[in-house]
Amino acid sequence: MSAPLLLAAAALRQLADALDALAAEPTAPAPPARLPPEVSWRERLWTCDPQVRIGVPELSEGVDRPKSWVYRAARGNGSCPPLPHRKLDGQLVFVAGEVRRWLVEHEQTVVPGRMVPLTVGRRL
């Protein structure tokens, strides 16, 4: 064999040995898959299945009110009927569809700068 072929064969043998050594080393675990950002209850309350049941912390986050507001709304505060709820082992449980309906029925639309209620419809 000629000298250049011997040199190439030796280089290839070194490369093969290096690759075998790398293959024998334990591999580092793959980095964890990037999870999508967590969707808050402010969005999930309006997009989840209507039968989803949620607790006080989730509803509190969903309506951006303190937990005390949730307890008062469930009790009823005089101006609105009680927020529909159930009790499970003494804990309040809310059905998302019922909460959404109650919120829409009892929200007040406020027009900034108006001192009297806005009347919509024909005047007679």
Side-chain angles (χ1 to χ4, degrees):
M1 270 176 116
S2 69
L5 286 177
L6 289 175
L7 288 174
L12 287 174
R13 174 54 36 213
Q14 277 184 322
L15 181 59
D17 291 341
L19 289 174
D20 287 340
L22 284 175
E25 290 180 10
T27 58
R34 189 152 195 190
L35 298 175
E38 182 71 23
V39 178
S40 75
W41 275 103
R42 291 189 77 178
E43 181 179 337
R44 279 196 279 176
L45 178 61
W46 297 97
T47 59
C48 69
D49 185 277
Q51 296 303 313
V52 169
R53 293 171 183 254
I54 59 176
V56 172
E58 293 83 12
L59 182 56
S60 173
E61 180 184 340
V63 295
D64 195 27
R65 297 281 184 259
K67 291 177 187 175
S68 59
W69 180 90
V70 175
Y71 288 113
R72 279 195 312 273
R75 195 171 52 240
N77 61 4
S79 64
C80 290
L83 179 62
H85 63 282
R86 292 157 172 73
K87 283 193 176 183
L88 179 63
D89 288 335
Q91 300 291 315
L92 293 179
V93 177
F94 303 89
V95 178
E98 293 175 358
V99 170
R100 291 192 295 235
R101 193 169 27 262
W102 186 89
L103 289 169
V104 169
E105 288 173 1
H106 296 96
E107 69 184 353
Q108 239 182 356
T109 303
V110 177
V111 180
R114 287 195 65 87
M115 300 306 284
V116 295
L118 179 64
T119 305
V120 179
R122 295 184 300 176
R123 291 186 183 194
L124 298 174

